[in-house]
């Protein structure tokens, strides 16, 4: 059962007024084709907030532990999330993400791997660069600029799509590509505070 449209409608009705969400750069988002959506991670509410502000459905990688919780284990797969084992190379999650990208879908991930405790952008993990290089997709940098406080404005900023072809051609390392992605996210944060 696809709960994504219902989830998006419900979360939009609650989050937009409660956090006074302002979306910037939505017009930059590609209308079709595979997209790797890379976002900073400041709160547990980041996935639904990105989900409601993104013009296309987002398939999020979510930590495997969430799929073991009673309510979430039946809800998450129906809102396009798929599990990933943290701290190790999860081949099944990698295959799922690459298949989705090659099928022209949007895969959302948080390159930092975990929430930032102080709100500052942390170093990105090489996984983002790996998917950017291996998936036949553009990379969409996105910044969530908080705080998550009732009736205080929360911004979600979509940058310009990054073409990965030049990096693939010169066989750039995943670490280098992740650094490029993180620099773009940092720019979005700095220019939209």
């Amino acid at each position: 059962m696809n709960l994504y449209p219902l989830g998006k409608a419900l979360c939009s009705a609650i989050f937009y007024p409660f956090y006074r969400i302002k979306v910037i750069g939505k017009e930059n988002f590609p209308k079709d084709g595979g997209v790797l959506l890379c976002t900073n991670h400041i709160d547990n509410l980041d996935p639904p907030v990105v989900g409601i502000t993104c013009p296309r459905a987002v398939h999020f990688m979510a930590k495997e532990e969430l799929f073991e919780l009673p309510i979430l284990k039946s809800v998450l797969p129906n809102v396009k999330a798929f599990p990933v084992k943290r701290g190790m190379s999860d081949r099944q999650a990698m295959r799922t993400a690459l298949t989705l990208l090659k099928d022209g879908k949007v895969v959302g991930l948080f390159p930092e791997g975990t929430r930032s405790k102080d709100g500052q952008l942390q170093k990105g993990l090489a996984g983002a660069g790996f998917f950017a290089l291996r998936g036949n997709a553009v990379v969409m940098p996105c910044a969530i600029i908080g705080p998550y406080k009732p009736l205080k404005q929360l911004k979600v900023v979509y940058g310009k799509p990054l073409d990965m072809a030049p990096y693939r051609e010169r066989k750039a390392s995943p670490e280098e590509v992740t650094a490029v992605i993180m620099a773009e996210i940092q720019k979005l944060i700095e220019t939209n505070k």
Side-chain angles (χ1 to χ4, degrees):
M1 180 173 30
N2 181 8
L3 296 177
Y4 199 94
L6 175 64
K8 186 167 183 170
L10 286 173
C11 288
S12 293
I14 296 165
F15 292 166
Y16 268 100
F18 195 68
Y19 294 115
R20 296 182 53 226
I21 295 173
K22 179 177 181 180
V23 185
I24 300 167
K26 202 173 190 172
E27 68 282 358
N28 294 332
F29 210 95
K31 295 195 176 13
D32 49 37
V35 176
L36 182 65
L37 176 57
C38 294
T39 308
N40 63 319
H41 200 4
I42 60 171
D43 195 278
N44 283 331
L45 294 176
D46 292 343
V49 164
V50 171
I52 64 173
T53 61
C54 184
R56 292 171 58 191
V58 184
H59 298 258
F60 273 108
M61 263 187 207
K63 62 184 178 181
E64 188 180 47
E65 297 83 8
L66 294 175
F67 289 80
E68 294 161 9
L69 300 173
I71 295 171
L72 291 181
K73 71 177 171 189
S74 55
V75 172
L76 287 174
N78 291 306
V79 291
K80 304 192 183 298
F82 61 97
V84 62
K85 293 181 180 108
R86 294 195 307 171
M88 61 174 67
S89 178
D90 183 343
R91 293 191 185 284
Q92 182 55 47
M94 292 166 137
R95 278 194 293 273
T96 300
L98 291 173
T99 299
L100 287 165
L101 291 172
K102 286 178 179 156
D103 288 346
K105 308 287 189 209
V106 178
V107 172
L109 61 86
F110 301 101
E112 295 160 285
T114 189
R115 280 174 295 133
S116 168
K117 289 182 177 42
D118 61 3
Q120 300 299 307
L121 190 65
Q122 310 300 307
K123 184 172 188 246
L125 303 174
F130 170 83
F131 290 118
L133 292 166
R134 294 287 299 275
N136 189 20
V138 297
V139 171
M140 195 71 193
C142 174
I144 301 169
I145 303 168
Y148 277 85
K149 290 203 174 138
L151 306 177
K152 295 271 188 203
Q153 189 171 74
L154 182 74
K155 292 182 191 170
V156 181
V157 186
Y158 292 96
K160 302 265 188 200
L162 305 174
D163 179 12
M164 292 291 109
Y167 297 98
R168 288 185 197 111
E169 283 165 19
R170 65 179 178 78
K171 295 187 173 27
S173 71
E175 292 80 9
E176 178 190 348
V177 173
T178 296
V180 169
I181 294 168
M182 298 312 285
E184 288 298 317
I185 295 171
Q186 184 65 46
K187 262 191 251 178
L188 293 176
I189 293 169
E190 287 170 3
T191 57
N192 292 281
K193 278 185 179 171

